[in-house]
Amino acid sequence: MNEQRQDIRGVLIQVREARLLLPNATISEVLSYADPDPVEGAPDWLLGRIRWQGWQLPLVAFSRLAGIAPEQGGLGSKVAVLKALDGNPRLPYFALLTQGFPRLVTVPRDALETDEPGDAGLPADVLVRVLLNGDPALIPDLDAVAASIDQALQQAA
């Protein structure tokens, strides 16, 4: 019983050339990709805005934001709607472009270890590289992502 309390529910999200590991509680919904409404003057990683439950959510290509790889939506792409955890009332949710459906995973403490970035360092807006059962993943800094989005939207306005 004690071992189960040590496990956390996570979600693996495939983005271009990387996998992100997020807490399950941050995912509100997964949608099919549709072309977003453009945001004039926004950086290339901010693909535009999508409509979701009365909100206009910014859609982020994380691989572009982090400087990992070029990324754009298309056939087979999905959109994960995430709860912003930084408490900004202007941005309670944002959307993340994914390559296929996010996958629910159980993360036992003993199956997760830090993966040293070496000389390459960490990509932008990433807290840590990890190995989950030996497979590499990135844990994004969702507060930093939300701050990047907020700053980009203010500059584009």
Side-chain angles (χ1 to χ4, degrees), residues 5-88:
R5 288 189 202 139
Q6 305 249 344
D7 295 350
I8 38 177
R9 299 296 283 167
V11 178
L12 280 174
I13 295 178
Q14 184 69 46
V15 296
R16 183 81 186 262
E17 296 187 22
R19 287 188 319 164
L20 307 180
L21 178 61
L22 299 170
N24 185 42
T26 60
I27 306 290
S28 294
E29 191 171 350
V30 177
L31 312 168
S32 293
Y33 174 81
D35 287 332
D37 297 327
V39 175
E40 192 69 34
D44 68 347
W45 54 263
L46 184 56
L47 300 176
R49 292 182 189 261
I50 62 167
R51 289 179 180 80
W52 178 75
Q53 297 187 8
W55 294 91
Q56 290 280 325
L57 303 183
L59 176 59
V60 174
F62 187 83
S63 287
R64 281 188 190 180
L65 172 63
I68 297 168
E71 182 177 35
Q72 63 187 41
L75 190 61
S77 296
K78 301 292 179 197
V79 172
V81 176
L82 305 181
K83 294 175 195 163
L85 305 175
D86 64 352
N88 181 344

Side-chain angles (χ1 to χ4, degrees), residues 71-136:
E71 182 177 35
Q72 63 187 41
L75 190 61
S77 296
K78 301 292 179 197
V79 172
V81 176
L82 305 181
K83 294 175 195 163
L85 305 175
D86 64 352
N88 181 344
R90 291 187 314 266
L91 192 65
Y93 299 95
F94 61 91
L96 199 66
L97 181 66
T98 73
Q99 307 298 314
F101 278 103
R103 187 170 54 115
L104 194 59
V105 293
T106 299
V107 183
R109 279 186 192 255
D110 60 357
L112 188 66
E113 58 187 277
T114 302
D115 184 19
E116 295 302 321
D119 293 339
L122 289 173
D125 293 345
V126 170
L127 282 175
V128 66
R129 290 180 195 265
V130 295
L131 295 171
L132 176 59
N133 294 319
D135 293 326

Side-chain angles (χ1 to χ4, degrees), residues 39-43 45-46 146-157:
V39 175
E40 192 69 34
W45 54 263
L46 184 56
S148 295
I149 294 167
D150 194 39
Q151 182 179 20
L153 289 173
Q154 287 184 31
Q155 290 175 351

